[in-house]
Amino acid sequence: AQSVTQLDSQVPVFEEAPVELRCNYSSSVSVYLFWYVQYPNQGLQLLLKYLSGSTLVKGINGFEAEFNKSQTSFHLRKPSVHISDTAEYFCAVTRTDSWGKLQFGAGTQVVVTP
Amino acid sequence: DAGVIQSPRHEVTEMGQEVTLRCKPISGHNSLFWYRQTMMRGLELLIYFNNNVPIDDSGMPEDRFSAKMPNASFSTLKIQPSEPRDSAVYFCASSFPQGHLNTEAFFGQGTRLTVV
């Protein structure tokens, strides 16, 4: 089975500062990796995904993430955050041979203050 | 496309009552997922369907939970009888099948269920 660990439950950050959200996974087989964002009282929206190819993936809203197979990590970064980035962020993984069973991390709450 | 549509958005019911949550996936998607989100357990996959057929229901917590997908455009999640510990936000998601270039799960807005 695979698992996902988001190392920070909450990350406070000032507006226009950079932010990094850490995600580590474990799996005995190849996986696909995702980052989702959830705004209050909303569903989840995909920020970016890693399926194959370049290990640096760029997503919406200026976010990017780097897949590091040796470190089994998929950390999310943004060089300059806005107030509107205040939300909860979820890292998720699914096995490449059983698409659909997304395993989510516990989430990281990002709070951006002026 | 309007996205994944779930109804109702909010549901308050009394313990012991039957609850039915509904989902309309994005047209053309043939995979559908039901997730539950709670503070204690986070996001959990309950069941998923491919081409209207349940593939994995190992996440369904108890026999009180059942899900159906009678056609490609509609799915239900039923809880009977409901209990206070079923209170959660239930999400439906849909996607193209594995291998499709646009493989990703699109989520609905969720149904917030409160059982009193």
Side-chain angles (χ1 to χ4, degrees):
Chain A
Q2 62 271 22
S3 66
V4 181
T5 303
Q6 292 186 241
L7 296 158
D8 306 293
S9 60
Q10 190 168 56
V11 173
V13 58
F14 288 111
E15 192 175 17
E16 298 184 6
V19 70
E20 178 180 81
L21 308 184
R22 297 179 292 169
C23 172
N24 286 94
Y25 70 93
S26 66
S27 177
S28 57
V29 298
S30 297
V31 296
Y32 298 139
L33 294 152
F34 305 81
W35 274 100
Y36 282 86
V37 60
Q38 185 179 30
Y39 299 104
N41 300 314
Q42 299 290 317
L44 281 77
Q45 180 183 5
L46 182 71
L47 280 177
L48 47 79
K49 60 186 176 184
Y50 174 78
L51 303 183
S52 65
S54 172
T55 56
L56 181 64
V57 292
K58 294 187 184 297
I60 62 170
N61 301 341
F63 284 93
E64 66 179 33
E66 185 153 20
F67 170 57
N68 188 320
K69 189 173 182 179
S70 62
Q71 304 275 342
T72 61
S73 68
F74 190 54
H75 301 334
L76 180 73
R77 301 183 185 93
K78 185 169 182 178
S80 177
V81 297
H82 301 134
I83 297 289
S84 59
D85 292 321
T86 295
E88 187 144 25
Y89 293 79
F90 292 92
C91 182
V93 62
T94 184
R95 290 169 55 134
T96 59
D97 62 352
S98 62
W99 164 252
K101 297 187 71 171
L102 277 172
Q103 182 77 36
F104 283 90
T108 297
Q109 180 68 44
V110 172
V111 180
V112 182
T113 53
Chain B
D1 199 311
V4 177
I5 299 173
Q6 292 186 246
S7 63
R9 288 293 312 276
H10 302 274
E11 176 81 34
V12 180
T13 190
E14 290 186 349
M15 181 175 64
Q17 295 297 307
E18 176 182 302
V19 176
T20 299
L21 311 182
R22 297 172 175 79
C23 175
K24 179 179 174 6
I26 292 173
S27 177
H29 285 184
N30 65 350
S31 295
L32 183 139
F33 315 90
W34 282 100
Y35 286 88
R36 179 172 68 175
Q37 185 178 34
T38 61
M39 289 292 291
M40 291 296 293
R41 300 175 68 89
L43 277 156
E44 306 171 276
L45 177 64
L46 300 178
I47 185 172
Y48 79 95
F49 296 83
N50 272 353
N51 295 318
N52 313 337
V53 176
I55 300 301
D56 187 337
D57 64 355
S58 60
M60 296 285 262
E62 299 174 33
D63 291 345
R64 298 183 295 105
F65 286 70
S66 63
K68 293 182 179 179
M69 192 164 186
N71 57 62
S73 59
F74 184 64
S75 176
T76 59
L77 178 68
K78 184 181 293 185
I79 308 172
Q80 180 184 21
S82 58
E83 296 183 2
R85 60 193 168 119
D86 302 331
S87 297
V89 181
Y90 292 81
F91 288 104
C92 176
S94 71
S95 77
F96 289 113
Q98 182 176 357
H100 191 282
L101 286 177
N102 289 325
T103 299
E104 68 175 87
F106 290 83
F107 282 75
Q109 301 272 50
T111 295
R112 182 175 296 276
L113 173 65
T114 304
V115 184
V116 298

